[in-house]
Each structure stands twice: as C-alpha cells, then as structure tokens.
Amino acid sequence: MNQKKLNIFSTMLIVFTITLFQTKLMAETIELPEDELATETVTPIYDTPDVVKNRNIVTEKKFELGGYLGWNTTEPIYNQGKFGLNIGYHWSEKSALVFNYAQWMSGLNTFYTDGLRQDPNNLDFDRAPKKKYSLYAHYEWKVFYGKISLGKHLTTNTSTYPIFGLGTTAYEHKSFPGLDLGVGQKFYFNKWSALRVDLKLQVAQQISPFLGDTTAPYNNDKSVKVGNPTPEPSDFKERWGVNTILDVGVSATF
Amino acid sequence: MVNILKKLQFQFITNIFNFVEMYLLTKLKKTFLLLLKSFFILCISFLILQNKIQAADPADDPNTTVADTIGNSDSDSGSGASAASGSEDTAADNVELNSFEQEVKKAPTKKETKSEEKNIQDEKIEQVTDLTKLHSFNDISVLQKKYLSKTGRFQLSGGVSAIANNPWANTFGINGKFGYHFTEAWGLEASFMAMTGSDSVDKKELQKENDITTSNFVTLKGYYGLDLVWIPIYGKMALHNNKIVPFDMYFSAGGGASQIEGGQGGGTIHIGTGQIFAASKSFGYRWDFSWNGYLAKPQGNEQRFFNDLVLSFGVCFFFPEVNYR
C-alpha cells in the first residue's frame, strides 16, 4: 500500500514538474490589432511643395557683376570676338535684370575675308562701317536651381535660366535695335562667384557689308570692291539678321 | 522576493529529482538514470535562463527604437534604384537636398582621434533626435540615389540638330545616337547626322551684290562616328521650387567621317558636351553641343580644315529595365 502511494505521489510530482517546464518554455504570441498595422507606404503630398528649404546660394536683393568673352559664331565678315561686362540686380530668387555690355573686337573675320580679298574677288571689307559695341538689357528667369556632384567628393550649386533681352548695337555712324532670346547656366564656385555660360539667338537690324557695284560699267559706283570709290557708312544697306551669340565668363554677386 | 522564490523552486525540483532517483534506483539501470538526470538538469537551467530574460526591461533595448526610426535610408550610390513612385522620390529628394545643403555648409571633416571616437553601443538612442549622437560617416557619397541609372544599359536617342557657326548656310537636320554604358561614368556611343541646308542671307547678298558664288564654302551633309562618353557630373535641379529634375552632364570625344555638299569630305574629330534630364527611369530629354573638325575638299578647291559647331536637342531611351536593389 505504501509502495502504491509512493508511486502515485512520484508520478504526480513528475507530471507537475513537466507541466511547470512546459509553461515556462512556451513562446508568447503577441497579437496586434489589424487596423494599427501599416498596409502600404504613403508619402505625404503637400499643398504647397517647397523642395528647396535651405538655399545655399542666395541671390535675392543682390547685385551681380561679371566679365566675359563672347563670340558671334555666325558672323562672316566682322570679327566674331567680343568682351564685355554683365551688371545686374536680382530682386528675387526667380528674376533678375542684367545689363550686358559688349565691346566688339576690331578687325575682320580673316577665315573668310582673306579669300574674298584675293583675285578674282577683290573685295575689301575694311571699307564697311566698323561695329563698335552692343548694349542689351536681359531679363533672366531663374527657373532652375540645383546642385551637381563631381565624382563623389565635390558638390557645387548650379542655376539655369532663360534669357529675354532688348538692346542696341552701335556702328561708327548709327545704332540699330535688336532682341535676344537664349538660355544661360551658372556653375557656382562658392556662395558669391560662378562660371557663367550664355547661349543666345540675337535678332537684330544690322549693316550689310556686301555693298557692290551692280550697274554697268561696274567700276564707278561706291562699293567694297577694290578699285571702286570708297563708300560712306551711310551708303551701306540695312537688313535684319539672326546671329548666334555665345558668352563665357565669371560673375560675382554681392 | 523573486530570487527567493526562484531558489525555493530550484530546491523543490532538486528534491523531487532526488526522490525520483531513489525510487528508480531499485527499478532501472544506472545508465538510464544518468541520462534522465542530465535531461532534468538541462531543463532546470533553461527555466532559470528564461526567467532572467523575461525579467529584463524592454525599454533598455536600444535596437527597438533605432530600428523603428532609420527606415529605408541607404548610402550607396550604385546602379540600383528602388521601385518607389515619383512622389516617394520627390519626398526623398526633398530630404536629400535639405540634408546636403547642410553638408555643403559644413567645414571639412577632421580626422578623428581615438579619444574622439564613440562607440555606438555607449550611446542611448531613445528618440529620433538622439540619432545626432551616432558616429559620423567618414566617407559619404554625395547626391545619393541616382534616379536614372545607366550601368549595363543601352541608350537610344534622337533629335534635331543645327549648325551654329556656318554663316553661308542655314543647316538643319536630324541626329541619332546608340550607345552602351559600362558604368555610370563611362560608355561608348555611335552617332550619325543627316543635314540639309539652304543659302543664308549673307550668301545670297554676296552673290547678288558682287556676283560671287561661294563654291569654296562647305556645307555639312552628314556625319557618322564613334565616341567615348564620360559622365562625371550628376545633379538635381528644382523646377520653380516645385519639382526635382535629376540630370547628368557628359563629355564625349571620338572620331568619324563627314560628308559635304558638292565636294569630298574626310576624317573628323568630334568633341562634345551635353546634359540628360531624366523624365523617368528609362526616358529623358537631352541637349548636346559638339565641335566637329574635319578636312574637306570643296569642288574646284584645295583641301582645307573646316569646323562646325553643332547644337542638338532630342530625347533618349534607356533599356533594359534597371536592376533594382
């Protein structure tokens, strides 16, 4: 009898011990309410997006001053080169008014005029009125502002802007109006200086240097032909033409 | 109190085990007893260890809070890009632009000495603002998450071109390019141009006023060549402060052959630059400004060196689909 009781008691203790272990070894199941779990990735959409919150290059209410070299790449007779100044004011981050002064280099485009000077052409374009300077007022619409990465260790800011302008080109005897349409891009060295590249189409009234002798006996009329009388600047015809202008320079804002 | 209970529990179980052992000694062999004893000791050890883990405070675990706040940030600027929508990229780009504005303002990073280095495990991270305590990166790839990946992809582009420096002809045409990008920075590209022209006002006046036909002036008829393309610059621009437009700026150099109107063309050196503005991960807008220098022999004239500045605008397509990370 005692042996039976001992057996029952020992069996109960073993079962109790195993049960105790099982309780402690069981993993806990954590249940979360379904409505608190995320079902998709959602990006907030702002009514007034403001992608640039902390602008590194600030141009608002600042003046700009710069120098440049330029080329009229479609000029056949006059010297294509010029140098000049850009002086402007940025009244906001989107808009600026810049005055572009260009001093045209003296001389001719010898790539073409040397051949036209030789026989049998005999054209002397030194007789044509000299181009002096141009002065244009440009509105720059700064629609793009961003930054570029050069390799993996250098970043710098950049700005791209359409250009709209009106101005005048002065010859030795007269000035002619014109308008500019183009695009420019700046690459900033630091917060106040930048490399500036502008490409413009210039539609302007200009002198036609090809004054010829079109009436017989073809050697009495004033023209650029060697041997004919030298014409006056006012003898040359005027026309409208399209020029491609490329300006490369540096600018500083302060 | 918990420790006392644990000790009593342990003692109770040990006594049970001893009782069982004495009972079984009369019935079972010693080897089986040894195995059974080992099993129970193992269970008891696990029980005590389990109690110790459950007694730890969850708030002391730094990994929980940090894992909830880091999200999907990734510092690699490799070829892959996530399949997130445009709005997700815009939001991410907003954060990037702002964070990198701060980077540009910072002074050059000094080399940290051993005394300045902090072990991340020493810092308690409980809130988002505590992330500033983390050890700073020594090498950051700037402008991360390249939007328009090019590595291992072909590019097909086409558009219109115009000669920007020929005063005697108005020359326009079409262009096509087909290239392959080995890496984000390097690629090969084959290109062609087919041009047509009309006499400019200057040429007409020269002929009218001076009776001169400009047969020695060259008009480009066509060009085909092969270029090595280098894309070192990647950037992002904000359009009207509303939208981010990623772009690449490239430089190309190579050679080919040019054909001219009414004459014999020749070998050509080509140098160019341009930008690709990404509209999607496979499509973009492209402009190109190139210089072609070539030897040509106009009809009835000697061979001379000519050069053309070519301005092109077009679109480009990238395929196959980018490899997502």
Side-chain angles (χ1 to χ4, degrees):
Chain A
M1 190 62 177
N2 285 335
Q3 187 65 30
K4 265 193 182 175
K5 284 185 181 174
L6 188 63
N7 289 339
I8 293 169
F9 179 66
S10 63
T11 304
M12 286 174 63
L13 282 173
I14 292 171
V15 170
F16 169 75
T17 306
I18 294 172
T19 305
L20 184 68
F21 287 158
Q22 192 174 20
T23 304
K24 290 296 180 182
L25 291 174
M26 274 178 63
E28 292 186 8
T29 301
I30 302 174
E31 293 183 356
L32 297 171
E34 288 290 327
D35 55 354
E36 291 185 10
L37 296 175
T39 57
E40 61 181 8
T41 303
V42 179
T43 304
I45 300 175
Y46 300 99
D47 291 335
T48 55
D50 189 16
V51 296
V52 183
K53 296 192 184 300
N54 191 10
R55 187 179 280 255
N56 191 41
I57 307 297
V58 178
T59 56
E60 185 177 0
K61 292 182 173 49
K62 288 190 176 180
F63 291 91
E64 178 178 344
L65 176 65
Y68 70 91
L69 292 175
W71 295 269
N72 181 349
T73 61
T74 53
E75 172 57 53
I77 303 300
Y78 293 103
N79 194 324
Q80 293 185 335
K82 60 171 181 171
F83 59 91
L85 291 174
N86 284 310
I87 302 172
Y89 179 72
H90 300 250
W91 65 81
S92 71
E93 294 297 344
K94 286 188 179 179
S95 302
L97 181 65
V98 177
F99 291 95
N100 177 284
Y101 173 81
Q103 180 68 37
W104 292 98
M105 293 181 185
S106 60
L108 301 172
N109 185 357
T110 55
F111 188 80
Y112 298 112
T113 58
D114 282 355
L116 292 171
R117 178 66 188 259
Q118 296 170 357
D119 287 330
N121 302 317
N122 295 314
L123 299 180
D124 181 12
F125 290 101
D126 284 323
R127 299 183 175 193
K130 306 293 186 289
K131 188 191 290 186
K132 296 292 186 183
Y133 65 88
S134 293
L135 181 62
Y136 277 75
H138 290 145
Y139 169 74
E140 295 176 0
W141 186 27
K142 297 177 286 180
V143 295
F144 285 104
Y145 169 76
K147 56 175 57 183
I148 57 175
S149 170
L150 283 79
K152 286 190 175 183
H153 301 285
L154 181 63
T155 61
T156 184
N157 290 94
T158 181
S159 172
T160 304
Y161 44 91
I163 300 170
F164 310 94
L166 292 171
T168 179
T169 298
Y171 288 78
E172 61 180 84
H173 67 297
K174 194 175 178 181
S175 296
F176 299 96
L179 61 92
D180 278 344
L181 182 64
V183 66
Q185 196 161 33
K186 284 182 183 173
F187 301 93
Y188 288 89
F189 304 121
N190 47 44
K191 290 188 178 183
W192 57 272
S193 65
L195 171 70
R196 180 185 172 125
V197 180
D198 296 344
L199 182 66
K200 295 168 286 190
L201 282 179
Q202 190 173 80
V203 180
Q205 193 178 19
Q206 57 195 41
I207 292 290
S208 172
F210 306 103
L211 181 63
D213 187 355
T214 56
T215 56
Y218 304 116
N219 58 0
N220 292 332
D221 291 345
K222 297 176 183 178
S223 74
V224 294
K225 197 173 182 70
V226 175
N228 281 43
T230 302
E232 297 296 321
S234 56
D235 294 329
F236 287 83
K237 296 176 184 176
E238 300 166 2
R239 60 164 187 193
W240 282 86
V242 180
N243 304 305
T244 305
I245 308 288
L246 176 66
D247 295 342
V248 179
V250 291
S251 68
T253 52
F254 53 92
Chain B
M1 185 63 181
V2 173
N3 291 335
I4 294 172
L5 285 174
K6 284 181 185 174
K7 285 182 181 175
L8 286 174
Q9 187 180 30
F10 181 79
Q11 190 65 35
F12 175 74
I13 292 170
T14 308
N15 290 338
I16 295 297
F17 179 76
N18 290 334
F19 176 81
V20 172
E21 184 181 21
M22 288 184 64
Y23 172 74
L24 292 176
L25 270 174
T26 58
K27 299 288 181 183
L28 298 174
K29 291 183 178 179
K30 281 189 177 178
T31 51
F32 178 75
L33 273 174
L34 191 63
L35 283 173
L36 197 64
K37 187 174 183 178
S38 304
F39 173 73
F40 276 109
I41 291 172
L42 184 68
C43 290
I44 291 168
S45 304
F46 185 82
L47 171 67
I48 295 169
L49 182 64
Q50 189 81 354
N51 282 337
K52 280 188 178 176
I53 291 173
Q54 288 180 356
D57 184 2
D60 293 337
D61 185 0
N63 294 325
T64 305
T65 308
V66 170
D68 291 340
T69 55
I70 286 180
N72 294 324
S73 64
D74 190 337
S75 62
D76 292 333
S77 63
S79 60
S82 67
S85 64
S87 59
E88 290 178 352
D89 288 331
T90 303
D93 287 338
N94 296 347
V95 174
E96 281 181 43
L97 264 183
N98 298 332
S99 63
F100 287 116
E101 289 281 5
Q102 297 296 330
E103 281 181 31
V104 174
K105 287 183 180 179
K106 283 181 183 176
T109 307
K110 298 178 185 176
K111 284 189 177 180
E112 291 186 347
T113 59
K114 287 187 179 178
S115 61
E116 295 174 349
E117 289 181 357
K118 292 183 180 179
N119 194 337
I120 186 175
Q121 295 180 355
D122 297 336
E123 298 293 338
K124 251 191 181 181
I125 307 296
E126 295 178 356
Q127 301 175 359
V128 175
T129 54
D130 293 337
L131 290 176
T132 57
K133 299 177 185 176
L134 294 178
H135 186 72
S136 59
F137 291 106
N138 289 325
D139 180 20
I140 300 176
S141 297
V142 295
L143 286 172
Q144 302 157 11
K145 282 191 177 180
K146 215 165 195 179
Y147 182 72
L148 180 56
S149 176
K150 296 178 290 297
T151 300
R153 301 176 86 188
F154 294 93
Q155 181 189 165
L156 180 65
S157 62
V160 294
S161 297
I163 304 292
N165 69 332
N166 190 342
W168 309 113
N170 302 318
T171 311
F172 301 92
I174 58 172
N175 71 80
K177 300 177 195 289
F178 183 74
Y180 179 76
H181 296 272
F182 301 101
T183 65
E184 291 300 311
W186 295 97
L188 270 180
E189 185 174 71
S191 62
F192 86 94
M193 275 192 301
M195 312 295 279
T196 182
S198 60
D199 291 342
S200 69
V201 172
D202 290 319
K203 187 173 181 180
K204 290 177 182 175
E205 287 195 356
L206 187 63
Q207 187 169 359
K208 177 185 172 185
E209 294 287 330
N210 305 103
D211 197 24
I212 292 174
T213 54
T214 53
S215 61
N216 60 332
F217 298 147
V218 165
T219 302
L220 184 68
K221 183 180 175 183
Y223 164 79
Y224 57 90
L226 183 68
D227 290 332
L228 178 68
V229 181
W230 178 43
I231 313 172
I233 298 173
Y234 172 67
K236 297 182 181 181
M237 280 187 176
L239 174 60
H240 282 298
N241 205 21
N242 287 337
K243 185 181 176 183
I244 300 259
V245 179
F247 69 95
D248 290 286
M249 188 163 183
Y250 66 87
F251 302 92
S252 61
S258 295
Q259 299 161 345
I260 61 171
E261 290 278 358
Q264 182 181 349
T268 306
I269 301 171
H270 175 259
I271 299 172
T273 184
Q275 290 178 337
I276 300 172
F277 296 89
S280 72
K281 293 186 189 294
S282 300
F283 171 77
Y285 299 96
R286 174 175 178 172
W287 70 265
D288 185 274
F289 194 62
S290 298
W291 176 85
N292 281 11
Y294 55 95
L295 289 171
K297 186 179 178 185
Q299 194 172 13
N301 290 275
E302 295 179 353
Q303 189 179 53
R304 287 173 59 192
F305 183 80
F306 295 90
N307 68 93
D308 292 327
L309 288 176
V310 185
L311 185 60
S312 306
F313 295 95
V315 295
C316 53
F317 301 91
F318 293 85
F319 57 94
E321 191 75 7
V322 69
N323 292 324
Y324 298 113
R325 284 179 292 177

